[in-house]
Amino acid sequence: MTIQDRFCPKCGKPSETDGLCMSCRAADTPWAECDTRVSSTHCPSCGAIKQVNTWTDTERDLAALAPDLARSAVHFHPDVKKRSIAVEVRDISPNRSRAYLTITGILYGVSMEKTCTVELVWHKEQCDRCNRITGSYYEGIVQVRADERKLSTFELQSAAAIATQIEDSLIAGGERLSFINDMTENRDGLDIMVGSQHIGLMIVQAITAQFGGQYTTHPKLVGEKNGRQLFRITYLVRLPHYQRHDVVKLDRVYVEVEQVDSRHVRVFDLSEGRSRSIREDEILRKIGNARNAQAALVAYIAGGMMGILDPDTGVTKEYKKKPWQTIVVGENVQVLRDGDTLVVMR
């Protein structure tokens, strides 16, 4: 038997098989079906989208989501090739849109096309994260304090920035419930209310890595859910008494604090131009922090001495130029004041 002997039983045209020809087979096959209505649930506060029972953050607005939602209403026969869906969306009310679809594809070698209309329904529901935030929910408090002193403005701002960066990183990674509910400065330091214990731990680890010091955890039982005990944890961060870039007076020299641990203070010796470790009890007093240094003009350098113009009085004061210092006449150096003495920074 040859192809000339095979005929389509429906239309009588030659067929490549013993059954229907491709045109009749394609015509009898439901190649694409459209749901008449599809819905999407989004959070009116943050715009997150709910898929089944899972919330997902998105930066796309409803206008950008509508074409994809409309395309989800189309169901193709598995044999359809080169599928294409053109979508035009029109809003008909704040919670309703209408999508006009033009669907094309190739089925059994035959080009197919159809149109359909899909109603898009937009539901609003507060997401799990926004629901917790508005309900002042939290699982821990990070308390940032300093040892026998107040936090500096730099420490307050840096700790807040560290916490915010960690929150952004965790949420971008899919941890939607690792949020910061509130951040408050008070006379003792900084309090950060966090939505999960994970973000609380990451914040205290990052702050102590940046500034030194130690942290402790203090859990408190607050209830039980599904047979599981629920705790809120207070994370207490205690920053060192001396902070980085503090300039302190030893017996005969000034040094700048570089790092503090439980036993020693690593400093940069402003007389010798090198780093070394000292004990905290060797420090006589703090004179300031290098971040708050003033600019002072170098008037002259002669015979190993240099004249520095006092920025407050305008009087030129003479100091010995240290071998490690690179100082140019006519340029400014950074200085801190210890009484009448100007301490030149590195």
Side-chain angles (χ1 to χ4, degrees):
M1 180 179 289
T2 65
I3 190 171
Q4 287 79 11
D5 300 322
R6 299 174 183 172
F7 296 96
C8 175
K10 183 174 182 179
C11 68
K13 294 180 180 179
S15 174
E16 296 179 0
T17 67
D18 291 332
L20 296 174
C21 65
M22 292 302 181
S23 296
C24 291
R25 186 180 178 191
D28 287 352
T29 302
W31 67 280
E33 299 290 338
C34 293
D35 297 330
T36 57
R37 173 186 289 196
V38 290
S39 62
S40 176
T41 302
H42 68 280
C43 176
S45 300
C46 69
I49 299 298
K50 187 177 185 181
Q51 297 173 322
V52 190
N53 292 319
T54 302
W55 287 94
T56 304
D57 288 315
T58 180
E59 295 182 357
R60 303 169 68 193
D61 58 16
L62 298 186
L65 291 169
D68 288 342
L69 181 62
R71 291 186 181 97
S72 71
V74 181
H75 308 284
F76 285 99
H77 188 280
D79 292 336
V80 176
K81 310 298 183 184
K82 296 184 179 180
R83 307 171 181 181
S84 176
I85 306 173
V87 182
E88 179 186 351
V89 179
R90 298 176 186 173
D91 295 330
I92 57 178
S93 75
N95 299 321
R96 295 285 190 277
S97 300
R98 186 166 291 137
Y100 302 91
L101 282 62
T102 301
I103 309 166
T104 60
I106 296 177
L107 179 65
Y108 308 132
V110 180
S111 295
M112 312 293 286
E113 181 176 331
K114 70 179 294 185
T115 60
C116 63
T117 302
V118 179
E119 185 176 1
L120 309 181
V121 182
W122 305 105
H123 295 298
K124 295 180 181 180
E125 179 183 328
Q126 194 171 50
C127 71
D128 48 1
R129 180 177 61 207
C130 291
N131 185 51
R132 290 188 175 194
I133 292 174
T134 56
S136 299
Y137 176 89
Y138 66 99
E139 289 189 2
I141 302 178
V142 176
Q143 296 180 334
V144 186
R145 305 290 187 264
D147 184 21
E148 297 181 354
R149 64 176 176 86
K150 292 184 177 180
L151 292 180
S152 68
T153 301
F154 175 79
E155 288 172 323
L156 283 168
Q157 293 175 347
S158 297
I162 287 171
T164 301
Q165 289 169 3
I166 290 175
E167 178 190 34
D168 292 342
S169 175
L170 290 175
I171 289 178
E175 293 194 31
R176 302 189 68 259
L177 300 183
S178 289
F179 58 84
I180 294 174
N181 197 318
D182 190 26
M183 196 179 309
T184 307
E185 294 182 21
N186 53 54
R187 65 179 184 179
D188 297 320
L190 182 67
D191 289 345
I192 307 169
M193 296 177 64
V194 293
S196 74
Q197 296 174 14
H198 182 214
I199 187 176
L201 183 61
M202 290 192 66
I203 289 172
V204 298
Q205 289 176 339
I207 290 175
T208 52
Q210 174 74 21
F211 295 106
Q214 299 177 332
Y215 71 86
T216 55
T217 58
H218 307 275
K220 179 181 179 181
L221 181 64
V222 293
E224 187 173 309
K225 184 176 181 180
N226 299 327
R228 179 171 167 263
Q229 291 181 325
L230 300 178
F231 290 90
R232 280 185 181 149
I233 298 181
T234 299
Y235 304 86
L236 178 58
V237 181
R238 185 72 66 180
L239 301 187
H241 180 68
Y242 294 102
Q243 60 178 305
R244 191 174 299 175
H245 303 299
D246 275 347
V247 178
V248 297
K249 180 73 165 60
L250 305 185
D251 185 21
R252 297 181 179 180
V253 298
Y254 296 97
V255 298
E256 181 180 337
V257 175
E258 294 182 321
Q259 186 176 349
V260 182
D261 60 33
S262 58
R263 295 184 178 181
H264 296 89
V265 181
R266 185 160 184 83
V267 299
F268 181 83
D269 192 316
L270 295 173
S271 295
E272 300 179 2
R274 65 181 181 90
S275 296
R276 60 190 178 95
S277 292
I278 63 171
R279 300 187 313 275
E280 191 169 321
D281 59 11
E282 295 181 58
I283 298 174
L284 298 181
R285 67 179 183 277
K286 171 183 170 181
I287 69 166
N289 191 282
R291 297 189 189 93
N292 302 320
Q294 295 176 280
L297 180 68
V298 179
Y300 65 85
I301 299 176
M305 304 299 290
M306 57 183 177
I308 298 178
L309 197 65
D310 190 313
D312 292 342
T313 65
V315 176
T316 300
K317 297 182 177 180
E318 191 172 74
Y319 297 96
K320 183 178 179 180
K321 182 180 178 297
K322 308 297 190 298
W324 65 271
Q325 293 174 327
T326 302
I327 296 177
V328 179
V329 175
E331 295 187 358
N332 288 329
V333 292
Q334 298 297 308
V335 299
L336 283 177
R337 183 180 302 279
D338 184 20
D340 293 330
T341 301
L342 298 180
V343 181
V344 180
M345 301 291 96
R346 51 174 162 170

